[in-house]
Amino acid sequence: MTDLSVLDLSPITQGSTASQSLANSLDLARHAERLGYRRYWLAEHHNMPGIASAATPVVIAHVAGGTKTIRVGAGGIMLPNHAPLVIAEQFGTLAALFPGRIDLGLGRAPGTDMLTARALRRNLESADNFPQDVVELMGYFQPAEEGQRIRAVPGEGQTVPVWILGSSLYGAQLAALLGLPYAFASHFAPAELHHALEVYRTRFQPSAQLDKPYVMLGLNVFAAPTVAEAKLLFSSLQQAFVNLRIGRPGQLPPPVENYDRDLDPAAKTMLAQALSCAVVGSPETVRQGIDAFIRRTGADELMVTAQCFDHAARVRSFEILADVHKSMSKAA
């Protein structure tokens, strides 16, 4: 049965604070661990008033330190924003602190607007060096050779699984070439999903880390006792997407009844496309939606996200999904 994992942006809701959001992330991670989710990933975004996970390795340490067994990682680190050696040292340190529990997902996008990207990395051509930077970073995790002049300490000799993240064919090709697991951002950019999966699976070359293709797909899941309640929870994410696309990113708004009913056609079309990989509804609706998505894509693992305004509702959504998943596993 396909494994389930959690993607958390540590959302800052309207009227709340980053401190509360980070506390909520740890609380959700503890629930996810208890419920049997495989891993808990946090994402790097910058200049986003509604996202508290900008300093991703720091938040990973916060979550890993407050849990015991669940894998914790980055989904992902936007590598062009950083020197590979710095990321090797940071994740080498995390692996030394939490052995066997740290994942490193790498993305090529800046995770922000272009003005902020300039403030982060100074050189916008760094994205062109992404393949070389990935290889350099992976090299720092290898045992040091005699005479090696640049070493990642901590980092060298550490087992830190590296993933390639993407929403286009570029990441699929690179993951296949390097023989790495591939995570596709279908939860917000699904347009190239099936083409990317085909490219990755047909071109995959085995590596020391992975002997056959392994795909994890992002999926929005909003589960509640009733379909109406789930749709209400989903409206917070819908509002956030519209606000982002019109250039007004903000804190995660509270849900609104029948939000999409009065939207203009352009906004409705945008939401239908961007959030087409979403399962919203009651337990039975979720079961059917998850089953159909897995059958359609052949996903090895689902990375589930739920941007709910109410933290208790978000926890409940993941609890409902875990129960549905267990019942599907028993029936398989």
Side-chain angles (χ1 to χ4, degrees), residues 200-216:
Y200 173 66
R201 287 168 172 154
T202 57
R203 301 187 186 181
F204 182 85
Q205 299 180 23
S207 68
Q209 180 173 329
L210 196 63
D211 62 354
K212 61 182 180 180
Y214 191 93
V215 172
M216 178 161 59

Side-chain angles (χ1 to χ4, degrees), residues 86-328:
V86 172
I87 298 304
E89 291 172 339
Q90 290 177 351
F91 278 79
T93 301
L94 288 167
L97 289 168
F98 311 105
R101 294 181 57 204
I102 300 300
D103 297 324
L104 174 53
L106 299 173
R108 178 172 173 260
T112 187
D113 58 272
M114 297 315 295
L115 184 63
T116 307
R118 290 188 178 90
L120 281 166
R121 45 182 181 160
R122 313 296 180 186
N123 177 14
L124 294 183
E125 297 177 356
S126 55
D128 297 333
N129 300 323
F130 182 64
Q132 297 94 317
D133 286 349
V134 171
V135 172
E136 179 185 343
L137 171 55
M138 293 172 62
Y140 289 127
F141 291 132
Q142 298 299 314
E145 299 179 357
E146 186 172 349
Q148 182 174 327
R149 299 184 64 183
I150 302 177
R151 299 165 57 182
V153 182
E156 61 185 27
Q158 294 278 15
T159 301
V160 181
V162 172
W163 295 65
I164 298 297
L165 279 58
S167 59
S168 68
L169 304 187
Y170 186 98
Q173 293 169 338
L174 182 61
L177 177 66
L178 298 178
L180 297 177
Y182 181 48
F184 189 88
S186 38
H187 60 295
F188 73 90
E192 293 285 350
L193 170 59
H194 293 285
H195 194 183
L197 292 180
E198 179 186 7
V199 167
Y200 173 66
R201 287 168 172 154
T202 57
R203 301 187 186 181
F204 182 85
Q205 299 180 23
S207 68
Q209 180 173 329
L210 196 63
D211 62 354
K212 61 182 180 180
Y214 191 93
V215 172
M216 178 161 59
L217 302 181
L219 184 66
N220 298 287
V221 177
F222 289 76
T226 67
V227 173
E229 186 177 353
K231 288 183 176 179
L232 181 61
L233 297 176
F234 186 45
S235 69
S236 290
L237 179 62
Q238 291 174 312
Q239 294 175 74
F241 256 83
V242 171
N243 292 339
L244 180 63
R245 293 300 172 93
I246 63 176
R248 294 190 305 184
Q251 295 180 332
L252 186 69
V256 173
E257 292 275 3
N258 300 314
Y259 170 71
D260 57 353
R261 184 179 58 190
D262 299 321
L263 277 177
D264 65 81
K268 283 186 178 181
T269 300
M270 181 275 292
L271 287 177
Q273 293 173 346
L275 301 180
S276 63
C277 291
V279 179
V280 181
S282 64
E284 179 56 25
T285 306
V286 168
R287 187 195 67 78
Q288 293 176 6
I290 293 291
D291 183 63
F293 186 74
I294 293 171
R295 290 178 184 275
R296 188 166 70 248
T297 62
D300 298 293
E301 188 170 341
L302 298 183
M303 178 61 73
V304 177
T305 185
Q307 296 270 65
C308 296
F309 180 82
D310 180 69
H311 179 64
R314 184 163 67 138
V315 171
R316 182 177 58 181
S317 179
F318 280 101
E319 288 175 340
I320 291 172
L321 176 58
D323 289 341
V324 168
H325 183 258
K326 288 176 184 176
S327 67
M328 293 172 65

